[in-house]
Amino acid sequence: MNWEELEKRLRARMNATPHGGKKELAEALGITQTHLSQVLSGKRDLSRELAEKALRHYGLEPDYTPKGGEL
């Protein structure tokens, strides 16, 4: 999977997080809710470091291999 496809899938998965879960997601990623909102709206880039944290949060390997399901 190339970076653009991964970024697209991660943004979609993060956007699908229920409103109340975005605070937990931001905490798990080590960023503020404002930073997360900016990433989700496309105002800030999704860095590879942040993408790897998100992958781990969703139970995926940093090499982008699903652990029992598609992203």
Side-chain angles (χ1 to χ4, degrees), residues 3 5-6 10-11 14 17-18 21 23 26 30 36 38 42 46 56 58 61-62 66:
W3 170 248
E5 181 63 23
L6 173 67
L10 270 176
R11 281 184 196 273
M14 289 164 51
T17 301
K23 178 180 179 184
L36 178 60
Q38 291 170 339
L46 177 62
R56 285 191 296 273
Y58 291 122
E61 295 292 333

Side-chain angles (χ1 to χ4, degrees), residues 4-24:
E4 290 171 356
E5 181 63 23
L6 173 67
E7 182 179 13
K8 180 180 171 183
R9 288 182 176 197
L10 270 176
R11 281 184 196 273
R13 178 95 178 242
M14 289 164 51
N15 267 317
T17 301
H19 180 68
K22 287 196 170 59
K23 178 180 179 184
E24 178 183 308

Side-chain angles (χ1 to χ4, degrees), residues 21-34 36 50:
K22 287 196 170 59
K23 178 180 179 184
E24 178 183 308
L25 177 58
E27 289 174 0
L29 299 177
I31 60 175
T32 66
Q33 287 181 280
T34 300
L36 178 60
L50 190 59

Side-chain angles (χ1 to χ4, degrees), residues 30-46:
I31 60 175
T32 66
Q33 287 181 280
T34 300
H35 186 156
L36 178 60
S37 293
Q38 291 170 339
V39 168
L40 297 179
S41 69
K43 293 178 182 174
R44 288 183 85 149
D45 289 334
L46 177 62

